[in-house]
Amino acid sequence: MAGDTDWVAAAATDPELACPTSAVVDIVFSRWTTPILWTLHMHGRQRFVELERRIGTITPKVLTQRLRQLERDGMVVRTYHPEVPPRVEYEISDLGRSLAPLFAHLAEWAADNLDKVEQARHDYDTVPPR
């Protein structure tokens, strides 16, 4: 219980701690994380070039950076096969797969609300400046 008191005290002075989901948002919702995890979830284990082709608009440099970060965060498993030529495969981990319900809820929210967001943007953009 003392740990809870320490956390509450720290959260009162540090806005980042006040909302513990901010760490999750940093991990999961960077620009390319969702397409990478979705592709690995839907198509299974893949080599780098397969992933790159399926995602389409990602550069090799960015894909490499995101895969390294996702591996570090435990969302992706990298398997190196010491063959000639060497082969590397990537797959979504159980931890990464555990995000599926979150993504399903977000997809449902998007289906229900994105038209409302677009309407709000349109309304905001057409009203004279305040």
Side-chain angles (χ1 to χ4, degrees):
M1 287 306 226
D4 290 343
T5 307
D6 294 341
W7 181 83
V8 170
T13 58
D14 186 350
E16 296 254 340
L17 291 176
C19 182
T21 61
S22 63
V24 175
V25 169
D26 287 343
I27 293 167
V28 177
F29 297 110
S30 71
R31 169 68 177 99
W32 292 105
T33 297
T34 306
I36 292 169
L37 291 178
W38 181 86
T39 303
L40 290 172
H41 182 73
M42 295 303 294
H43 300 283
R45 183 183 302 203
Q46 296 175 63
R47 295 178 76 171
F48 184 90
V49 245
E50 295 171 307
L51 253 177
E52 187 180 18
R53 275 191 217 121
R54 283 203 164 103
I55 295 171
T57 55
I58 193 169
T59 66
K61 177 184 176 186
V62 171
L63 181 56
T64 298
Q65 291 170 339
R66 291 309 310 147
L67 285 169
R68 285 183 183 153
Q69 187 63 49
L70 289 168
E71 182 183 9
R72 181 174 182 257
D73 292 339
M75 303 293 165
V76 167
V77 176
R78 178 184 184 268
T79 305
Y80 174 79
H81 301 277
E83 304 168 346
V84 177
R87 181 169 49 102
V88 177
E89 296 175 319
Y90 298 91
E91 63 185 310
I92 192 167
S93 69
D94 289 339
L95 182 60
R97 204 173 282 107
S98 72
L99 292 168
L102 172 64
F103 289 138
H105 285 295
L106 287 171
E108 183 180 323
W109 185 91
D112 293 343
N113 295 294
L114 280 183
D115 58 334
K116 296 172 190 165
V117 171
E118 286 301 318
Q119 184 60 51
R121 288 176 179 170
H122 172 75
D123 294 348
Y124 182 89
D125 292 344
T126 57
V127 172
R130 299 176 175 106

